[in-house]
Amino acid sequence: MKNLFDYAKKELSQDAVLLWIFDNYQDEIIGCVARELLTEFCKLKADEIIEELSVYAQWKRIDVSVFIKTNLRNVGLFIEDKTFTNEHNQLSVYDKAISQYEIKYGKENIYKVFYKTSVIDNTDTDNIQSINQANLQNNGSEWVIYDIKSIFKLFENYSNCGNLILEQYIDYLKKIFDLVNNCELPRNSKTQEDFISWKVFFNNAVIPKLGIPDVNYSVKVYRGKFTYLQAFKDGYDKLPYLEFRSCDLVNGKVKARLLCYGVEDNQTTVMWQKKTIEAIKQDKIFDSKRIVTKRNGKDILPKQIAVSPQNVSYETVDDLVNCMRDYAEYYLKLMKSLRK
């Protein structure tokens, strides 16, 4: 039988699973998993008995909210659920709604979970750390991060529990868990699982081997379309950055891009762009022939200023890394020459 969760990959589907598990806390089979999660998330004590439990989807736009009355206290559990996307400052908005329950129940009885069945990257951790610092200053509760590794650990002992839906969900979690522990070169760039594989590959197999000092790297998934690795040197935020996309690296071919998304469009940066494009045209390592630099007679800052010709092939991971290093070193040389 095909796994339901190979089709139900969106966050709303996962929300429904979590709500279903918690709401069946008294069930003979599912209740064991529900109590395991609630004990972990809410730090339930050994002698703490759940007397009442209510679940809500999208309460104050929070993915999953669980209100619990035990024999010892009242508890509020709030879960921001992610599959592949990043946190986009929703948590600070949710905190305003949750604060009323911190006052009502006491902040020590409020638990907030960032639940992501994928890889947690720097974007997530940086945002959540910033939000938690603000919460600490305001005497609020903190968000606790659970990634695919910690989540699968909670579920793995129930993989043969006897409930088909739960077993399929756990099988799907194991599939993602296996992906994030595998650093092999991905062969495709089509599915969310492929994008996770590329993210792990970039972080664990490429970046450590590039060996270029003073370079910042960022690896993200773009709107469920591809995974990208950005490289840029400290202090060069007003100039182009180098990007490699998973969709440009399949089939043994390599393409690199010089991009300017997020770079402010003003007179100074347009001037730098013109100099950059002219230098690229002279070296002929990248192609800038079709780059539009004027609109309505005025100079503009194009978001993509150059693309490498996709005629460089690779067979092994080392071949690929060496090629990416060559492009990165050229990019840094180009940027340094323009700063003189």
Side-chain angles (χ1 to χ4, degrees), residues 196-212:
I196 291 176
S197 295
W198 277 103
K199 195 170 187 178
V200 173
F201 176 73
F202 281 146
N203 278 318
N204 297 338
V206 174
I207 292 175
K209 290 185 177 181
L210 286 176
I212 302 175

Side-chain angles (χ1 to χ4, degrees), residues 284-322:
K284 298 182 181 179
I285 294 177
F286 281 78
D287 180 11
S288 291
K289 294 178 182 178
R290 292 175 291 277
I291 302 301
V292 178
T293 58
K294 289 183 179 291
R295 184 173 292 124
N296 298 326
K298 296 182 179 180
D299 292 333
I300 63 168
L301 175 66
K303 300 306 179 185
Q304 178 170 279
I305 65 167
V307 180
S308 69
Q310 198 171 21
N311 56 11
V312 178
S313 301
Y314 69 90
E315 293 184 2
T316 67
V317 172
D318 286 340
D319 291 341
L320 174 58
V321 173
N322 289 336

Side-chain angles (χ1 to χ4, degrees), residues 101-103 105-111 135-136 139-141:
Y101 285 92
E102 291 175 330
I103 296 171
Y105 294 163
K107 86 167 187 179
E108 68 277 6
N109 296 316
I110 298 300
Y111 301 91
N135 284 334
L136 188 62
N139 197 34
S141 52

Side-chain angles (χ1 to χ4, degrees), residues 37-203:
L37 296 180
L38 291 171
T39 298
E40 170 68 23
F41 294 156
C42 302
K43 311 305 178 190
L44 297 182
K45 301 176 178 64
D47 60 344
E48 197 162 8
I49 301 170
I50 298 173
E51 297 178 346
E52 296 178 18
L53 183 148
S54 301
V55 299
Y56 297 91
Q58 296 298 315
W59 176 83
K60 301 294 184 180
R61 303 185 70 178
I62 301 170
D63 292 328
V64 174
S65 299
V66 185
F67 297 98
I68 308 165
K69 181 181 179 182
T70 77
N71 59 321
L72 302 176
R73 57 185 175 141
N74 289 304
V75 176
L77 170 63
F78 305 93
I79 299 176
E80 172 65 359
D81 172 31
K82 295 290 185 183
T83 52
F84 305 103
T85 58
N86 290 100
E87 197 281 319
H88 297 294
N89 297 316
Q90 304 108 306
L91 303 186
S92 56
V93 176
Y94 302 157
D95 282 333
K96 295 177 181 178
I98 294 171
S99 63
Q100 63 179 286
Y101 285 92
E102 291 175 330
I103 296 171
K104 184 178 180 180
Y105 294 163
K107 86 167 187 179
E108 68 277 6
N109 296 316
I110 298 300
Y111 301 91
K112 299 184 293 192
V113 170
F114 184 77
Y115 181 103
K116 185 172 182 178
T117 50
S118 183
V119 181
I120 300 289
D121 58 28
N122 290 339
T123 299
D124 290 325
T125 54
D126 290 348
N127 286 349
I128 294 172
Q129 284 177 2
S130 177
I131 291 167
N132 280 341
Q133 286 176 357
N135 284 334
L136 188 62
Q137 292 174 353
N138 295 321
N139 197 34
S141 52
E142 296 183 344
W143 289 90
V144 179
I145 296 174
Y146 286 81
D147 65 358
I148 183 59
K149 293 183 179 181
S150 54
I151 290 169
F152 178 67
K153 185 177 180 180
L154 292 172
F155 281 93
E156 63 178 332
N157 291 333
Y158 302 96
S159 57
N160 295 307
C161 65
N163 182 280
L164 180 60
I165 296 175
L166 192 53
E167 287 181 353
Q168 288 200 343
Y169 181 61
I170 296 170
D171 285 345
Y172 180 71
L173 292 179
K174 185 179 187 304
K175 180 179 180 180
I176 303 300
F177 176 82
D178 290 342
L179 286 175
V180 304
N181 286 284
N182 186 351
C183 297
E184 293 181 2
L185 172 67
R187 297 299 177 184
N188 295 298
S189 180
K190 298 178 181 179
T191 67
Q192 294 287 6
E193 289 78 14
D194 292 335
F195 304 147
I196 291 176
S197 295
W198 277 103
K199 195 170 187 178
V200 173
F201 176 73
F202 281 146
N203 278 318

Side-chain angles (χ1 to χ4, degrees), residues 171-268:
D171 285 345
Y172 180 71
L173 292 179
K174 185 179 187 304
K175 180 179 180 180
I176 303 300
F177 176 82
D178 290 342
L179 286 175
V180 304
N181 286 284
N182 186 351
C183 297
E184 293 181 2
L185 172 67
R187 297 299 177 184
N188 295 298
S189 180
K190 298 178 181 179
T191 67
Q192 294 287 6
E193 289 78 14
D194 292 335
F195 304 147
I196 291 176
S197 295
W198 277 103
K199 195 170 187 178
V200 173
F201 176 73
F202 281 146
N203 278 318
N204 297 338
V206 174
I207 292 175
K209 290 185 177 181
L210 286 176
I212 302 175
D214 303 321
V215 175
N216 292 325
Y217 300 101
S218 176
V219 178
K220 297 178 182 177
V221 176
Y222 176 71
R223 297 182 180 177
K225 296 182 178 180
F226 54 81
T227 303
Y228 59 93
L229 165 62
Q230 293 178 350
F232 49 94
K233 187 171 175 61
D234 288 335
Y236 286 74
D237 55 313
K238 300 299 182 185
L239 288 173
Y241 56 88
L242 183 68
E243 182 171 292
F244 299 95
R245 298 178 180 178
S246 58
C247 53
D248 293 334
L249 301 178
V250 294
N251 300 321
K253 298 291 185 179
V254 182
K255 180 187 287 187
R257 301 169 187 263
L258 289 176
L259 303 175
C260 288
Y261 288 94
V263 177
E264 186 178 352
D265 190 352
N266 57 39
Q267 185 175 356
T268 301

